[in-house]
Amino acid sequence: MNCMIAQSGGPTVAINASLAGVLKANEATKSYDKIYGALNGIVGVLHHNFLELTSLIEEEDNFIDRLIHTPAMYLGSCRFKIPSGDEGQEIYRQVFKVFEEYQIGAFFYIGGNDSMDTVDKLSKYGASINSSVRIVGIPKTIDNDLVTIDHTPGFGSAAKYVATSVREVAWDAYIYAVPSVTIIEIMGRDAGWLTAAAALARTEDSPAPDRIYLPEVAFDLDAVTEDVRNILKEKNTVVLAISEGIRDKNGEYISTTDGGSDIFGHNHLSGAGKTLEHLLKEALGVKVRSIEINVLQRCASHLASRTDLEESVRLGETAHALALAGKTAVMASVKRVSGTGFDGTRPAHECVEDASSPYQVAYTSVPVSLVANQVKSVPREWINAEGNDVTDAMVNYLRPLIAGEPHLSYTDGLADYLSTKHLYHVKA
Amino acid sequence: MNCMIAQSGGPTVAINASLAGVLKANEATKSYDKIYGALNGIVGVLHHNFLELTSLIEEEDNFIDRLIHTPAMYLGSCRFKIPSGDEGQEIYRQVFKVFEEYQIGAFFYIGGNDSMDTVDKLSKYGASINSSVRIVGIPKTIDNDLVTIDHTPGFGSAAKYVATSVREVAWDAYIYAVPSVTIIEIMGRDAGWLTAAAALARTEDSPAPDRIYLPEVAFDLDAVTEDVRNILKEKNTVVLAISEGIRDKNGEYISTTDGGSDIFGHNHLSGAGKTLEHLLKEALGVKVRSIEINVLQRCASHLASRTDLEESVRLGETAHALALAGKTAVMASVKRVSGTGFDGTRPAHECVEDASSPYQVAYTSVPVSLVANQVKSVPREWINAEGNDVTDAMVNYLRPLIAGEPHLSYTDGLADYLSTKHLYHVKA
């Protein structure tokens, strides 16, 4: 009996650690003879495009440990949503035909919301044909927006990247004795978790970021301008952390499409940071710069959170154990058993009873149908009354997730990642 | 007898290491009783705005080592250019009056081109009044564009940041099985050194960046478009590293000011990356994204080059020794005694005789007048004939500079930097 695994959605620093967890568990138990890695998600399943991971473990030195520390997605990704209706049914039929052909006993899918929807639908189809293939989801997303789970794999590392960057940019901003505003734009179109992590950059002496704006609260440009003007009366350096997804009270994004076009005839879209930069510069007449924390927040393995990597491995191991125990239509999950937790299924203040105890987690499973197509937003009670900062409870929730540094091996000054040349898609 | 030190220009990850070098040398020799750190460059000298660094060494735990690993500029910066003529003479007079008042035997100024110009002018004024104050420059700039020195402190760490980022972004780009172009824009308005460092991201398997465009060669948009179109016939993922300073054969920057204005009435300036993104998207009809490697390339101490930090400390120590030896109007410098070097004063091929020997450097001094207002561009012979890549000699020159990882101490998952609260400029 064999098993199959695939990855989907956007990368995180920890998604390969979950893949490694499945491999580790199988090395320990030898439950499945072969583990097929489908390339580019469900598309690879449909096209019989596989890596035989069990052989790679034997062929490559230290494969599993290097996989844990390799950025992005070792098996590649896809943005393929299985259609509904007959077309979808035909795809499910094909997928299960592949499972049969390769003697697959379990299929693991690592991904976010959409992938959990696929897990849910595949499970339902499997049940309808009385298939014995176990379908198990493994969560991941830097956005931390899945419900039923305390925090998602990949989020802790992204949060560590954000907090580190904000701290370093703040030190950079402090050097000039002139009034200035530095805007740091952070990923998260709908959920503000990653932007909230900017709060971790603060120290006893350094208040940066001075303000934090999440998409969960309407952004009031006039109030923010007035507020920044007032801060500048007190001190020279103002640092703002904003989500790319901030929007006004009508739900309009604080980003602009140019009315005109440039000399090449194109319309340029400016993001929230750039837009706010122009608006504040105009209103305040001081130096304003905006910095977009780019895709590195999802792929900077050199700055991974050790906690995140270890938990992601454990979630892979948990998924493997769930399949062996005969579970299907489930997602491996992690809950906080002490410390300040939040799984999005009950109000935040009901999760903080044990807030003073040290961070501790347990690995569980949840029905995947509870996860698919739900979003865990930042609870209003973890944002301050003015809507321009997060509370201590949020900081307590976030802090343990970024703890610990990765154990990387370096060659010539650069981290030595596993090659992903099987993804290069060289054309014939 | 005391000494004084200040920092100027833009930050680098290693500029505090040079400051630490001066302190270390003085701890070892006890040559100067007090070391005054002038805040915000020469402006701090004029305003008597000092930190007494000798006290801080005693008061703060592990001060020198933490200083080495602290980003940006511990003493702050200024963008103050001393005017010429009578106004300038009056400023020099004031500066030397401060030196006299504080019993200063040596003044150290850490900076780039402009700062070396200040060192030059201060030295000349000092000579004209028969001052005994030694004026010594300590180099720094991420741009690596100073002549008479093999490479500048701060450059190696920035190069390591660039190479790491390009590698991680490449892994991120490989995951989708669709044609795509990723443009990575790197700092360096006039000199292409930092963009060239993108070449270090390559591995045996990973060709990213596929092309490298420096400001030293005219950027031919039509040829580049055709070239990228051809690469896309072979494989899906194209990664381009471009300097922010690329310009066409007429010397015009490949960046745009919008002809129109946005809904708020502002003109937005798009950089080279964003501009090229739009142009290639239009011409090729594939997914194109651009990523700007932002100010973190100059302040990401978490990814400093150990080699860079150690050399920067040594340059601070060298400057201290030069002052003690009675030298003035000089800059502490580093030359490569084996390996592929280039100091900008002779053709590159004359520096590569000993290319196969391991990297080794020696610390020297150069007359600061040779450094001020000169620029070390990338030599044409280190760029390939087509003008879209760098040569092996360039890679050999760059590789040793990024070697080694910093010895950071972490608290709660974040690097524990020295507070720079003395720079916050809180208003009364």
Side-chain angles (χ1 to χ4, degrees):
Chain A
M1 183 77 77
N2 305 314
C3 72
M4 192 173 284
I5 185 162
Q7 299 172 320
S8 181
T12 79
V13 156
I15 189 165
N16 288 330
S18 289
L19 170 58
V22 174
L23 302 182
K24 266 183 99 161
N26 202 56
E27 283 298 285
T29 60
K30 300 289 181 193
S31 320
Y32 301 103
D33 300 320
K34 290 181 180 174
I35 301 184
Y36 293 101
L39 297 183
N40 300 108
I42 204 78
V43 175
V45 179
L46 293 169
H47 291 97
H48 299 240
N49 196 3
F50 303 118
L51 279 188
E52 212 207 280
L53 296 165
T54 21
S55 314
L56 287 173
I57 295 170
E58 279 164 31
E59 288 159 19
E60 297 233 16
D61 280 351
N62 214 11
F63 180 77
I64 292 179
D65 191 60
R66 290 178 67 203
L67 182 60
I68 292 172
H69 295 95
T70 293
M73 297 158 85
Y74 188 72
L75 299 175
S77 185
C78 65
R79 290 282 187 197
F80 176 71
K81 203 170 164 72
I82 298 179
S84 55
D86 287 351
E87 213 184 330
Q89 291 296 306
E90 173 54 25
I91 287 170
Y92 299 134
R93 203 186 58 75
Q94 282 179 42
V95 168
F96 278 83
K97 193 159 157 263
V98 173
F99 289 164
E100 197 178 332
E101 188 177 339
Y102 288 81
Q103 300 173 41
I104 299 304
F107 177 67
F108 303 98
Y109 208 34
I110 316 179
N113 268 321
D114 289 344
S115 310
M116 292 312 129
D117 187 52
T118 300
V119 170
D120 190 33
K121 285 173 174 158
L122 278 176
S123 306
K124 281 176 179 145
Y125 181 88
S128 77
I129 60 165
N130 287 316
S131 166
S132 63
V133 182
R134 311 286 104 188
I135 312 285
V136 179
I138 304 175
K140 74 86 212 167
T141 166
I142 62 166
D143 293 331
N144 196 39
D145 61 353
L146 299 190
V147 295
T148 76
I149 188 166
D150 182 72
H151 54 278
T152 55
F155 172 67
S157 294
K160 186 181 181 111
Y161 187 86
V162 165
T164 300
S165 301
V166 171
R167 183 174 291 183
E168 290 175 339
V169 167
W171 259 243
D172 188 274
Y174 291 139
I175 67 166
Y176 290 116
V178 293
S180 74
V181 180
T182 300
I183 300 161
I184 304 174
E185 182 189 316
I186 298 158
M187 279 184 172
R189 202 95 183 127
D190 296 308
W193 295 104
L194 211 42
T195 304
L200 298 172
R202 291 175 182 149
T203 69
E204 204 182 326
D205 290 330
S206 170
D210 296 281
R211 298 288 185 266
I212 298 175
Y213 302 105
L214 310 185
E216 281 85 354
V217 174
F219 186 84
D220 180 341
L221 179 63
D222 292 336
V224 169
T225 305
E226 209 39 46
D227 186 30
V228 172
R229 195 193 307 277
N230 283 326
I231 309 176
L232 284 170
K233 287 178 189 160
E234 310 279 323
K235 59 174 186 168
N236 270 333
T237 310
V238 180
V239 178
L240 309 177
I242 68 167
S243 160
E244 62 173 335
I246 50 169
R247 49 202 102 153
D248 67 18
K249 63 178 194 289
N250 302 316
E252 300 288 329
Y253 285 111
I254 309 298
S255 56
T256 55
T257 318
D258 299 328
S261 58
D262 66 28
I263 53 168
F264 298 100
H266 305 109
N267 292 317
H268 289 201
L269 179 76
S270 289
K274 196 51 91 182
T275 302
L276 190 57
E277 175 189 320
H278 289 288
L279 294 170
L280 289 181
K281 200 177 278 172
E282 177 110 343
L284 302 171
V286 300
K287 182 183 156 197
V288 185
R289 63 175 178 174
S290 64
I291 292 162
E292 196 184 327
I293 306 278
N294 51 45
V295 293
L296 284 164
Q297 65 200 295
R298 71 185 198 190
C299 63
S301 286
H302 77 270
L303 201 57
S305 151
R306 186 85 215 138
T307 300
D308 186 24
L309 293 182
E310 286 174 357
E311 291 182 352
S312 299
V313 169
R314 289 294 303 277
L315 281 162
E317 293 172 333
T318 301
H320 186 274
L322 288 170
L324 282 190
K327 305 278 185 192
T328 190
V330 291
M331 179 184 85
S333 189
V334 59
K335 69 178 179 185
R336 201 172 307 213
V337 292
S338 68
T340 303
F342 181 62
D343 69 4
T345 66
R346 53 192 176 145
H349 65 266
E350 289 179 20
C351 309
V352 297
E353 295 148 69
D354 202 9
S356 59
S357 303
Y359 175 74
Q360 223 179 319
V361 295
Y363 299 91
T364 61
S365 78
V366 294
V368 73
S369 58
L370 297 183
V371 185
N373 306 314
Q374 300 292 318
V375 171
K376 181 169 88 170
S377 299
V378 172
R380 187 60 185 85
E381 58 183 304
W382 281 7
I383 303 171
N384 70 347
E386 297 79 10
N388 59 18
D389 205 344
V390 297
T391 65
D392 288 347
M394 170 65 99
V395 171
N396 293 338
Y397 166 84
L398 293 170
R399 200 183 301 283
L401 308 182
I402 69 165
E405 285 59 61
H407 303 158
L408 294 169
S409 82
Y410 282 85
T411 304
D412 287 337
L414 292 172
D416 182 25
Y417 301 133
L418 272 184
S419 162
T420 55
K421 68 176 172 194
H422 49 276
L423 297 177
Y424 293 0
H425 312 295
V426 175
K427 296 173 185 176
Chain B
M1 185 76 78
N2 305 314
C3 72
M4 193 174 281
I5 185 162
Q7 299 173 320
S8 182
T12 80
V13 157
I15 190 165
N16 288 330
S18 290
L19 170 59
V22 175
L23 301 182
K24 264 183 101 162
N26 202 58
E27 284 296 286
T29 61
K30 300 289 180 194
S31 320
Y32 301 103
D33 301 320
K34 289 181 180 173
I35 301 184
Y36 293 102
L39 297 183
N40 300 108
I42 203 79
V43 175
V45 179
L46 293 169
H47 290 97
H48 299 239
N49 197 2
F50 303 118
L51 279 188
E52 213 207 279
L53 296 165
T54 22
S55 313
L56 286 173
I57 295 170
E58 280 164 30
E59 288 159 19
E60 297 234 15
D61 279 352
N62 215 9
F63 180 78
I64 292 180
D65 191 61
R66 289 178 67 203
L67 183 59
I68 292 171
H69 295 95
T70 293
M73 298 158 84
Y74 188 72
L75 300 175
S77 185
C78 66
R79 291 281 188 198
F80 177 70
K81 202 169 164 71
I82 298 179
S84 55
D86 287 351
E87 213 184 329
Q89 291 296 306
E90 173 54 24
I91 287 170
Y92 300 134
R93 204 186 58 74
Q94 283 180 43
V95 168
F96 278 83
K97 194 159 157 265
V98 173
F99 289 165
E100 199 179 329
E101 188 178 339
Y102 288 83
Q103 302 173 41
I104 300 303
F107 177 68
F108 303 98
Y109 209 33
I110 316 178
N113 270 320
D114 290 343
S115 311
M116 292 312 129
D117 187 51
T118 301
V119 170
D120 191 32
K121 286 174 174 156
L122 278 177
S123 307
K124 282 174 179 146
Y125 181 87
S128 76
I129 60 164
N130 287 315
S131 166
S132 63
V133 182
R134 310 288 104 187
I135 313 284
V136 180
I138 303 174
K140 72 86 211 167
T141 165
I142 62 165
D143 293 331
N144 196 39
D145 62 352
L146 299 190
V147 295
T148 78
I149 188 166
D150 182 73
H151 55 277
T152 54
F155 172 67
S157 295
K160 186 181 181 112
Y161 187 86
V162 165
T164 300
S165 300
V166 172
R167 184 174 290 184
E168 290 175 338
V169 168
W171 259 243
D172 187 275
Y174 291 139
I175 66 166
Y176 290 115
V178 293
S180 74
V181 180
T182 300
I183 300 161
I184 304 174
E185 181 189 317
I186 298 157
M187 280 184 172
R189 201 97 183 125
D190 297 307
W193 296 104
L194 210 42
T195 305
L200 298 172
R202 291 175 181 148
T203 69
E204 205 182 325
D205 290 330
S206 170
D210 296 280
R211 299 288 186 264
I212 298 175
Y213 302 105
L214 311 184
E216 281 84 355
V217 174
F219 187 85
D220 180 340
L221 180 63
D222 293 336
V224 170
T225 305
E226 209 39 47
D227 187 30
V228 173
R229 196 194 306 278
N230 283 326
I231 309 176
L232 285 170
K233 287 177 188 158
E234 309 280 322
K235 58 174 186 167
N236 270 334
T237 310
V238 181
V239 178
L240 308 177
I242 67 167
S243 160
E244 62 173 335
I246 52 170
R247 49 202 104 156
D248 66 18
K249 63 178 193 291
N250 302 316
E252 300 287 329
Y253 286 112
I254 309 298
S255 56
T256 55
T257 318
D258 299 326
S261 58
D262 66 27
I263 53 166
F264 298 100
H266 305 110
N267 291 315
H268 290 202
L269 179 76
S270 288
K274 196 50 88 181
T275 302
L276 190 57
E277 174 189 321
H278 289 288
L279 294 169
L280 289 181
K281 200 177 279 172
E282 177 109 343
L284 303 171
V286 299
K287 181 183 155 196
V288 184
R289 63 175 178 175
S290 65
I291 293 162
E292 194 184 330
I293 306 278
N294 51 46
V295 294
L296 284 164
Q297 67 200 292
R298 71 184 197 190
C299 63
S301 286
H302 77 270
L303 201 56
S305 151
R306 185 85 215 139
T307 301
D308 186 25
L309 293 183
E310 285 173 358
E311 290 183 353
S312 300
V313 169
R314 290 294 301 278
L315 281 162
E317 292 172 333
T318 301
H320 186 272
L322 288 169
L324 283 190
K327 306 277 186 192
T328 191
V330 292
M331 180 185 83
S333 188
V334 60
K335 68 177 180 186
R336 201 173 308 213
V337 293
S338 68
T340 303
F342 181 61
D343 70 4
T345 66
R346 51 191 176 145
H349 65 267
E350 289 181 18
C351 309
V352 298
E353 295 146 69
D354 203 9
S356 60
S357 302
Y359 175 74
Q360 223 179 320
V361 295
Y363 299 91
T364 62
S365 78
V366 294
V368 74
S369 59
L370 297 181
V371 184
N373 306 313
Q374 301 291 318
V375 171
K376 182 170 89 171
S377 298
V378 172
R380 186 61 184 83
E381 58 182 307
W382 281 6
I383 303 170
N384 70 347
E386 296 80 9
N388 59 19
D389 205 343
V390 297
T391 65
D392 288 347
M394 170 65 101
V395 171
N396 293 337
Y397 167 84
L398 293 169
R399 200 182 302 283
L401 308 181
I402 69 165
E405 284 59 61
H407 302 159
L408 293 169
S409 82
Y410 282 84
T411 303
D412 287 337
L414 292 172
D416 182 25
Y417 301 133
L418 272 184
S419 163
T420 55
K421 68 177 170 192
H422 49 276
L423 297 177
Y424 293 179
H425 312 294
V426 175
K427 296 173 185 175

